[in-house]
Amino acid sequence: MVAGGCPRRVEDGAAYESGRGSMASPHHALAPGAERMTPPPCGLLTLLTDFGLTDPFVGVMKGVVCAAEPQVRILDITHGIRPGSIVEGAFWLERSYRYFPAGTVHCAVVDPGVGSARAAVAVAAQGHYFVGPDNGLLAEVTLHAPHVEVRQLDVEALGLRQVSHTFHGRDLFCVVAGRLAASKVGFEALGPLAHLAVPSPIPGVVSEADHFVGNVLTVDHFGNLITSLRAAEVLPASGTPFRLEIGGEWLRSVRTFADAEPGELVALIGSFDAVEIAVRDGSAFSRLRPTPGASVKLFPS
Amino acid sequence: MVAGGCPRRVEDGAAYESGRGSMASPHHALAPGAERMTPPPCGLLTLLTDFGLTDPFVGVMKGVVCAAEPQVRILDITHGIRPGSIVEGAFWLERSYRYFPAGTVHCAVVDPGVGSARAAVAVAAQGHYFVGPDNGLLAEVTLHAPHVEVRQLDVEALGLRQVSHTFHGRDLFCVVAGRLAASKVGFEALGPLAHLAVPSPIPGVVSEADHFVGNVLTVDHFGNLITSLRAAEVLPASGTPFRLEIGGEWLRSVRTFADAEPGELVALIGSFDAVEIAVRDGSAFSRLRPTPGASVKLFPS
Amino acid sequence: MVAGGCPRRVEDGAAYESGRGSMASPHHALAPGAERMTPPPCGLLTLLTDFGLTDPFVGVMKGVVCAAEPQVRILDITHGIRPGSIVEGAFWLERSYRYFPAGTVHCAVVDPGVGSARAAVAVAAQGHYFVGPDNGLLAEVTLHAPHVEVRQLDVEALGLRQVSHTFHGRDLFCVVAGRLAASKVGFEALGPLAHLAVPSPIPGVVSEADHFVGNVLTVDHFGNLITSLRAAEVLPASGTPFRLEIGGEWLRSVRTFADAEPGELVALIGSFDAVEIAVRDGSAFSRLRPTPGASVKLFPS
């Protein structure tokens, strides 16, 4: 169904966005509505891992997909998740998937428990598909989804029993994701309906009388600290100024990096709707050296 | 016009190379000749940024292009430009674009001033298209171009007014570059004719009585120091031996790494026609630790 | 022969696996049987280098291939080989190629002797093609191949005499690999039959009375130490427990990371059939800081 090795344009993608505002609790499988609400796979597969690019781990995953499903297009979201950091992986997966076409299959592998009893799952939510370990990594994308369908991968039925003990990314997840992206197997045929056993590892934002408490989740390439505070949730309007407290330091908010003084430590709304801490022409991480998960307090002005 | 997701071969590419040797000064828009001299977009889009690969920034740019223009092929030039280094970005863009097919659209984003008043532009020059901020990054490619056409991106007309304040790479530049690469919009429709406001940040080579003075522009993965001295400009023939002085050290020139003694600090003409400083089986950067922009003197023998 | 920019499925790939168990010694060209045993190029080209991703070296290689052979699909195996480490490159190439489709052309460049007299070669073995320098990098893949054919690249006949002295990856190897992958040139037309002058740099495993002696070859992104000991060669069955000695430390074997105690230094069979040393949720490299090539002893239980 995919011509020319590139995903076709999903002309009917808008349909899946008509979420009915179901009040279903997250982390539980619903009746198979999400799958019906999800457009068919569009022939695009993304990869998000903590494998880095120093070794051929990512390369051989692509080889495996390309050998079995040559018509599937593969794009990297990132392979730079901090090794073993499910928090960071869950965060970036949730903030990134929406920039890809509806019907994309996202293969996400941050899997310190590989080879243990943790389940392997596929999730249909928000018009996208997700394949990976059930360790919290895929849970964040389901939190606000009106319809979620989870399938536990049936490795026997899929003919994938003989996988390695240490590299399910290559031997299981990307094989399944490739077949799904190529429409070789239907989502409902991946295994029985299930629920995610492990919830999102991202701590919730706490709402106090006059402020919100969140956490530093990750640091980006530029040394900006990215927090769990989502502008849409903590500010009445996107341009509202605020003050941010971290480790006893008080920061003013600016609109963009160029509005800060050179070397000034500031807070701003980053491009993924997250409250971030930055130093103009410098690294907030080097300046503050926060511990992972360090708490921050936001006071709207 | 692109079949199968891959750029067609540009059979008529030679036409654009018939530069008429115009004496037009750089940094100024010419009459719309360059656009007519530039072959139509070939369906290939490249990315050159300082975003690194640790975060999903590059991944979501590709998602955005793929979602809107699935038939466009995307290749990375590099995402390893030193954060905020317009010099390094301008240098590598100018040395790299020529290895891609004529009609390629190069989306270049090293943009410390994102969200400020700096303009967003598209440039047609040398048979290629370039999209990015007007901060000097795109100026180097226009320096020796017989025909240059610059368009200031009209974000209103392009329907891109609601962009983020901190990530124009995703919300503006790659969207425009994708449309251009897919021939969805013509170059002349991107906005009004303009000129580049900011010149190339790469310092010019100074010609003295018996030597040339240049600067160290960047250090590569192997620790080689790459200078602004271009062999074609400072040596009568490519094999001419020379001596190079940096920080009081005098280096002989060799033809290739293997011609140096193990551990010897030498100068040579690198593969991008730049004079480089290298240590065989070692790192010239670790040996010399030059300050950014350190000056070098080349004496032809 | 390739439709849509993606390699066609190699439906007849199984044929080449019917190796006849020839006892031919490695490192020597055989009669042109391997080429006949190798399926035709499938339109896929991989890259394995020590170029890193900081500079545009890899990007321009892709540009060169894309400009000349737009229908060839390009996948990265890795560009993170330690600079100049032929051992690491040879190891990962041999362990990785098999995950790509039969008929893939692998362009491998770890080439500290670039510009010297070392030969440039193409190899057909194990149903795949390999292009790179004759410095040991391609030798490991030939070791257990029932049929091997080596061609010395004839740069004159290929019209590639004017290559740079320092970047044969761009000017020679990927040009040839691209033409081969696109079936523009036949393998036998690349140059005269030859043999590999330089053997594999990977030290052989030594078999003692009650144990095997191997070496640490590389360290991966997670800090795991990967040795030259191949499970299939040193253990009677894949699940056999063993003890491993390195630098006076004795390690027990586990099945997967999750079977170790947090912080425990253990040995296990990694996903590429290599005996590895790992620390659960930590880095074995940081713990042991082995010298390159450090020896390890494996005692089957």
Side-chain angles (χ1 to χ4, degrees):
Chain A
M1 62 185 307
V2 175
C6 275
R8 62 180 169 69
R9 197 98 180 256
V10 180
E11 299 294 346
D12 53 351
Y16 82 93
E17 296 189 71
S18 62
R20 290 185 301 239
S22 153
M23 295 297 289
S25 70
H27 307 314
H28 288 83
L30 308 182
E35 204 276 328
R36 284 198 308 269
M37 299 299 290
T38 308
C42 71
L44 179 63
L45 184 157
T46 78
L47 299 173
L48 178 148
T49 78
D50 64 346
F51 295 161
L53 293 171
T54 306
D55 316 295
F57 303 151
V58 172
V60 299
M61 286 175 75
K62 293 178 181 174
V64 165
V65 172
C66 183
E69 321 293 351
Q71 75 278 30
V72 166
R73 185 175 183 175
I74 308 168
L75 288 179
D76 298 306
I77 295 182
T78 184
H79 301 287
I81 301 299
R82 196 154 40 87
S85 177
I86 300 170
V87 166
E88 201 173 295
F91 172 77
W92 277 128
L93 181 63
E94 198 278 332
R95 297 300 169 100
S96 300
Y97 80 84
R98 64 195 72 213
Y99 294 98
F100 293 83
T104 297
V105 178
H106 303 277
C107 180
V109 191
V110 179
D111 195 14
V114 61
S116 70
R118 67 100 186 88
V121 292
V123 173
Q126 305 281 21
H128 290 247
Y129 300 91
F130 304 87
V131 178
D134 180 5
N135 61 8
L137 185 64
L138 309 185
E140 187 74 10
V141 297
T142 69
L143 276 185
H144 304 285
H147 303 87
V148 175
E149 184 172 328
V150 178
R151 297 279 173 174
Q152 178 162 348
L153 301 186
D154 184 338
V155 294
E156 295 278 353
L158 293 164
L160 296 169
R161 201 173 56 85
Q162 295 291 349
V163 301
S164 68
H165 299 305
T166 59
F167 196 178
H168 288 189
R170 177 192 68 193
D171 299 335
L172 175 58
F173 296 125
C174 83
V175 175
V176 170
R179 289 184 197 172
L180 184 61
S183 298
K184 288 262 186 75
V185 62
F187 181 76
E188 70 288 350
L190 295 178
L193 276 172
H195 61 86
L196 292 178
V198 182
S200 171
I202 300 178
V205 169
V206 176
S207 177
E208 300 285 356
D210 63 344
H211 67 281
F212 295 91
V213 183
N215 301 85
V216 173
L217 296 182
T218 181
V219 52
D220 76 11
H221 177 64
F222 298 94
N224 301 322
L225 306 178
I226 300 179
T227 77
S228 59
L229 297 167
R230 202 186 276 263
E233 289 173 359
V234 299
L235 295 176
S238 75
T240 308
F242 60 91
R243 289 175 306 136
L244 197 79
E245 188 268 336
I246 176 169
E249 292 227 38
W250 285 89
L251 319 181
R252 70 176 177 121
S253 66
V254 296
R255 194 183 53 94
T256 188
F257 306 113
D259 292 343
E261 304 297 320
E264 186 188 9
L265 192 69
V266 294
L268 78 171
I269 307 304
S271 50
F272 291 83
D273 200 42
V275 173
E276 302 183 11
I277 299 169
V279 168
R280 180 170 168 187
D281 303 330
S283 163
F285 179 77
S286 298
R287 182 79 71 84
L288 293 173
R289 295 274 168 199
T291 52
S295 83
V296 294
K297 292 179 186 165
L298 181 144
F299 296 76
S301 293
Chain B
M1 63 185 308
V2 175
C6 275
R8 62 180 169 69
R9 197 99 180 255
V10 180
E11 300 294 346
D12 53 351
Y16 81 93
E17 295 189 73
S18 62
R20 290 185 301 239
S22 152
M23 295 297 289
S25 71
H27 307 315
H28 288 83
L30 308 182
E35 205 275 328
R36 283 199 307 270
M37 299 300 288
T38 308
C42 71
L44 179 64
L45 184 157
T46 78
L47 299 172
L48 178 149
T49 78
D50 65 346
F51 295 162
L53 294 171
T54 306
D55 316 295
F57 303 151
V58 171
V60 299
M61 287 175 75
K62 293 178 181 175
V64 165
V65 172
C66 183
E69 321 294 351
Q71 75 278 29
V72 167
R73 185 175 183 175
I74 308 168
L75 288 180
D76 299 306
I77 294 183
T78 185
H79 301 287
I81 301 299
R82 196 154 40 87
S85 177
I86 300 169
V87 167
E88 201 173 295
F91 172 77
W92 277 128
L93 181 63
E94 198 277 332
R95 297 300 169 101
S96 301
Y97 80 84
R98 65 195 71 212
Y99 294 98
F100 293 83
T104 297
V105 179
H106 303 276
C107 180
V109 191
V110 179
D111 195 14
V114 61
S116 71
R118 67 101 186 87
V121 292
V123 173
Q126 305 282 22
H128 291 246
Y129 300 91
F130 304 87
V131 178
D134 180 5
N135 61 8
L137 185 64
L138 309 185
E140 187 74 10
V141 297
T142 69
L143 276 185
H144 304 285
H147 303 87
V148 175
E149 184 172 328
V150 178
R151 297 280 173 173
Q152 179 162 348
L153 301 186
D154 184 338
V155 294
E156 294 278 352
L158 292 164
L160 296 169
R161 199 174 56 86
Q162 295 291 350
V163 301
S164 68
H165 299 305
T166 59
F167 196 178
H168 288 189
R170 178 192 67 193
D171 300 336
L172 175 58
F173 296 125
C174 83
V175 175
V176 170
R179 289 184 197 172
L180 184 60
S183 298
K184 287 262 187 73
V185 62
F187 181 77
E188 71 289 349
L190 295 178
L193 275 172
H195 62 86
L196 292 179
V198 182
S200 171
I202 299 178
V205 169
V206 177
S207 176
E208 300 284 356
D210 63 344
H211 67 280
F212 295 91
V213 183
N215 301 86
V216 173
L217 296 182
T218 181
V219 52
D220 76 12
H221 177 64
F222 298 94
N224 301 322
L225 306 178
I226 300 179
T227 77
S228 59
L229 297 167
R230 202 186 276 263
E233 288 173 0
V234 299
L235 295 177
S238 74
T240 308
F242 60 91
R243 289 175 308 137
L244 197 79
E245 188 269 335
I246 177 169
E249 293 228 38
W250 286 89
L251 319 181
R252 69 176 177 122
S253 66
V254 296
R255 194 182 53 94
T256 187
F257 306 114
D259 291 343
E261 304 297 321
E264 186 187 10
L265 193 68
V266 293
L268 78 172
I269 307 304
S271 50
F272 291 83
D273 200 42
V275 173
E276 303 183 10
I277 299 169
V279 168
R280 179 169 168 187
D281 303 331
S283 163
F285 178 77
S286 298
R287 182 80 71 84
L288 293 173
R289 295 274 168 199
T291 52
S295 83
V296 294
K297 292 179 186 164
L298 181 145
F299 296 76
S301 294
Chain C
M1 61 186 308
V2 175
C6 276
R8 62 180 169 69
R9 196 96 181 259
V10 181
E11 300 294 346
D12 53 350
Y16 81 93
E17 295 189 71
S18 61
R20 290 185 300 238
S22 152
M23 295 297 289
S25 71
H27 307 315
H28 288 83
L30 309 182
E35 205 274 329
R36 283 199 307 269
M37 299 300 289
T38 308
C42 71
L44 178 64
L45 184 157
T46 78
L47 299 172
L48 177 149
T49 78
D50 64 346
F51 294 161
L53 294 171
T54 306
D55 316 295
F57 303 151
V58 171
V60 299
M61 286 174 75
K62 293 178 181 175
V64 164
V65 172
C66 183
E69 321 293 351
Q71 75 278 29
V72 166
R73 185 175 184 175
I74 308 168
L75 289 179
D76 299 306
I77 295 182
T78 185
H79 301 287
I81 301 298
R82 195 154 40 87
S85 177
I86 300 170
V87 166
E88 202 173 295
F91 172 77
W92 277 128
L93 181 63
E94 198 278 331
R95 298 300 169 101
S96 300
Y97 80 84
R98 64 195 73 212
Y99 293 99
F100 292 83
T104 297
V105 178
H106 304 277
C107 180
V109 191
V110 179
D111 196 14
V114 61
S116 71
R118 67 100 187 88
V121 292
V123 173
Q126 304 282 21
H128 291 246
Y129 300 91
F130 304 87
V131 178
D134 180 4
N135 61 8
L137 185 64
L138 309 185
E140 187 74 9
V141 297
T142 69
L143 276 185
H144 303 286
H147 303 87
V148 175
E149 184 172 328
V150 178
R151 297 279 173 173
Q152 178 161 349
L153 301 186
D154 184 338
V155 293
E156 294 278 352
L158 292 164
L160 296 169
R161 200 173 55 85
Q162 295 291 350
V163 301
S164 68
H165 300 305
T166 60
F167 196 178
H168 287 189
R170 177 193 68 194
D171 300 335
L172 175 58
F173 296 125
C174 83
V175 175
V176 170
R179 289 184 198 173
L180 184 60
S183 298
K184 288 262 187 74
V185 62
F187 180 77
E188 70 289 349
L190 295 178
L193 276 172
H195 62 86
L196 292 179
V198 182
S200 171
I202 299 179
V205 169
V206 176
S207 177
E208 300 284 356
D210 63 344
H211 67 281
F212 295 91
V213 183
N215 301 86
V216 173
L217 296 182
T218 181
V219 51
D220 76 12
H221 177 64
F222 298 94
N224 301 323
L225 306 178
I226 300 179
T227 77
S228 59
L229 297 167
R230 202 186 277 262
E233 289 173 359
V234 299
L235 295 177
S238 74
T240 309
F242 60 90
R243 289 175 307 137
L244 197 79
E245 188 269 335
I246 177 169
E249 292 228 38
W250 286 89
L251 319 181
R252 70 176 177 122
S253 66
V254 296
R255 194 183 54 95
T256 188
F257 306 114
D259 292 342
E261 303 297 320
E264 185 187 10
L265 192 69
V266 294
L268 78 172
I269 307 304
S271 51
F272 291 84
D273 200 41
V275 173
E276 302 184 11
I277 299 169
V279 168
R280 179 169 168 187
D281 303 331
S283 163
F285 179 77
S286 298
R287 182 80 71 85
L288 293 174
R289 295 276 168 198
T291 52
S295 82
V296 294
K297 292 179 187 165
L298 180 144
F299 296 76
S301 294

